[in-house]
Amino acid sequence: MTKIVIIGGVAGGASAAARARRLSETAHILMFERGPFISFANCGLPYHIGGEITERSKLLLQTPESFLARFNVDVRVMSEVIHIDRQAKTVTVRNLVDQQEYQEDYDFLLLSPGASPVVPSIQGIDNPLTHTLRNIPDMDRIIQTIQMNKPEHATIVGGGFIGLEVMEAFHRLGIKTTLIEMADQVMTPIDREMAGFAHAEIRAKGIDLKLGVALESVEYISTDHIANVDSGESEDHQHIAGELKLSLNNGASLTTDILIIAIGVRPEIKLAAQAGLQIGESGGIYTNEYMQTSDPAIYAVGDAVEDQDFVTGKQTLVPLAGPANRQGRMAADNMLGRHETYQGTQGTAICKIFDLAVASTGKNEKQLKREGVAYEKVYVHTASHASYYPGAEVVSFKMLFDPQTGKIFGAQAVGKEGIDKRIDVMAVAQRAGMTVAQLQHLELTYAPPYGSAKDVINQAAFVATNLIKGDAVAIHYDQIDQLTADQVLLDVRNPGELQNGYLEGAINIPVDQLRQRLHELPKDKEIIIYCQVGLRGNVAYRQLVNNGFKARNLIGGYRTYLFAKA
């Protein structure tokens, strides 16, 4: 009988346990979880804080009792594995209730310890009003602080998924909120110009967004001692009276009533490192394609491990639930004699930011630059469904690709409708090895309430293929501010559109008048064309080059340029 010991539940560990039981009725499966819960919806935690998920019980996916009944898995919560003896193939377990220690042997060991929130070494950060959010107890402490203190102002440090979701939760509760982000953008999986749409939405909701700013110190100011709101309150429900004074690296300061630190996570590798398992260059547990560590009897999955990047083949850290679930399933297969291989991580992700959805898959431009990969990019801004049917919203879409082969490197999309659909299609296309030329031929659903005859993805593929074939020459938003005296800006929008913004020094000739007014443009200079989103600019570009002009079109138009500054 094979004995499988699993350290850690939630996505990776629980998936592995369930899969192992489905494959073998005789395997002895034992799972240890140092917390009180083995399987909970950690991605739903901010939504319970904000009240969208009203019942806390909805977040608890399995209990030790339900896991035993359905899968015959021996689950022991409040049990921390503190040592692995690889030679003896045993683990030492500490019962966190009574502090007793004991040993369990294993045939195969699965590590699924996850990742822990990064808490910076900042003076004063250890105080009763500062929280992180990783699990159910963290969520409960945040809710308790809100209920007891009734904060009027909250501050979040970090503009990633958790920070943005908690920001929205506080806003939903009517708490004035400041979001501090050290980078020049929120949502690092997307690029700066695409994040501009999120910045505009965040500010429009009244959030005090501070970009390029870091927290330097925290001062806890107690307004009275820890005191019960009612004399009959238990110690667990005491009122922590006080506020925090935050000092920022730009010399500013602010006062807040609750502080959430959400600057990222790091892999939990302490146990693996102590056991002498190989740790990868980026700081996660090394695994091969079978999810085996450097010890073939020990597997590892989830946020603690390094994944193979699907695009580059390099090792990377991608703390997402989808990869963790798939890895857990494959590790269980392989522990029970199969030979399943993990096919790499694309990093496909989406985040709700008030009325916007922000999503991406594959590599972003920052990563491609850092890795020295040659790439081209296109932007389209078009309707989520037929524009004449009510309710159409703008989908802002960016695609990155190899300018020679058309290989898809990544895609990003922002908007109020149809964002998940487009990025899901791109994730499938990328995994299938499609090129941008092949994307032209995707046959996607069309009816006026749902899509367009030429979908967003088709349109992006048309633009990309034009660039590859030389039917268009691009200029991008980040080159516009460096034009030379040998270049002339041409705005081909209608005059009424200029009241919503324009580029200084541009000649305005509407595209429908261009053929009759070509004589107004110099032939000895390069004409830099722009319109609102790039479509009319392409029409103008073809007219100009077919008439002997040298020209380039601003891909994504004025809309991309404008939001890049947001």
Side-chain angles (χ1 to χ4, degrees), residues 338-410:
R338 299 192 177 188
H339 298 283
E340 298 293 331
T341 59
Y342 186 65
Q343 303 294 315
T345 298
Q346 293 165 273
T348 308
I350 190 168
C351 184
K352 177 181 181 294
I353 304 177
F354 298 113
D355 296 329
L356 285 185
V358 181
S360 64
T361 191
K363 308 300 285 184
N364 59 42
E365 190 172 349
K366 299 183 295 284
Q367 293 167 328
L368 294 172
K369 283 181 178 177
R370 191 161 56 241
E371 295 174 12
V373 177
Y375 67 91
E376 182 55 277
K377 57 187 177 182
V378 295
Y379 304 88
V380 293
H381 307 279
T382 190
S384 56
H385 60 249
S387 57
Y388 56 82
Y389 187 89
E393 299 285 354
V394 175
V395 173
S396 293
F397 184 86
K398 176 179 183 178
M399 183 168 65
L400 297 149
F401 57 95
D402 187 308
Q404 302 300 319
T405 66
K407 176 183 177 180
I408 300 166
F409 290 145

Side-chain angles (χ1 to χ4, degrees), residues 92-260:
T92 302
V93 186
R94 178 180 294 152
N95 185 317
L96 298 179
V97 177
D98 59 18
Q99 301 304 310
Q100 294 297 307
E101 296 180 6
Y102 62 95
Q103 289 187 331
E104 288 283 351
D105 64 334
Y106 64 84
D107 294 309
F108 293 105
L109 179 64
L110 177 70
L111 303 180
S112 181
S116 57
V118 175
V119 180
S121 299
I122 292 176
Q123 179 183 344
I125 203 165
D126 186 11
N127 65 73
L129 298 179
T130 297
H131 301 272
T132 58
L133 181 60
R134 180 193 183 192
N135 51 37
I136 296 279
D138 290 344
M139 178 191 74
D140 290 341
R141 283 188 285 270
I142 292 171
I143 292 174
Q144 180 180 322
T145 297
I146 293 170
Q147 292 174 341
M148 295 296 104
N149 287 15
K150 296 179 170 52
E152 296 180 0
H153 186 275
T155 300
I156 298 149
V157 178
F161 291 96
I162 295 296
L164 292 167
E165 290 163 357
V166 174
M167 170 197 73
E168 185 170 349
F170 284 148
H171 182 269
R172 182 180 170 89
L173 294 172
I175 301 170
K176 185 174 174 61
T177 303
T178 295
L179 178 66
I180 298 170
E181 170 54 56
M182 187 166 63
D184 64 350
Q185 67 166 95
V186 301
M187 280 284 288
T188 55
I190 64 173
D191 290 312
R192 175 63 180 79
E193 71 280 13
M194 299 298 285
F197 298 101
H199 300 160
E201 176 75 2
I202 291 166
R203 291 181 173 121
K205 297 298 184 184
I207 303 297
D208 176 24
L209 176 62
K210 298 182 183 297
L211 298 173
V213 177
L215 179 64
E216 277 200 336
S217 66
V218 180
E219 182 183 356
Y220 172 55
I221 304 170
S222 177
T223 53
D224 62 25
H225 294 294
I226 298 177
N228 290 336
V229 176
D230 299 311
S231 58
E233 265 193 348
S234 71
E235 189 173 321
D236 287 341
H237 291 83
Q238 290 175 332
H239 174 55
I240 311 296
E243 59 186 18
L244 302 174
K245 182 180 179 182
L246 310 181
S247 297
L248 309 180
N249 69 346
N250 62 357
S253 64
L254 63 97
T255 301
T256 196
D257 303 311
I258 183 173
L259 175 64
I260 308 296

Side-chain angles (χ1 to χ4, degrees), residues 9-10 33 35-40 56 60 62 64 77-78 136-137 140:
V10 196
E33 170 57 52
F37 306 102
I38 58 148
S39 183
F40 60 92
R56 179 178 180 274
L60 305 175
Q62 292 282 355
V77 295
M78 303 303 292
I136 296 279
D140 290 341

Side-chain angles (χ1 to χ4, degrees), residues 476-516:
H476 292 294
Y477 76 92
D478 49 359
Q479 300 170 290
I480 289 296
D481 292 337
Q482 287 84 44
L483 298 184
T484 69
D486 294 324
Q487 295 170 309
V488 172
L489 265 174
L490 173 63
D491 186 334
V492 296
R493 297 176 298 167
N494 295 322
E497 296 177 69
L498 274 60
Q499 65 186 5
N500 296 319
Y502 57 89
L503 298 177
E504 290 287 344
I507 301 169
N508 178 222
I509 304 177
V511 66
D512 293 338
Q513 301 175 18
L514 187 58
R515 281 190 179 87
Q516 290 73 42

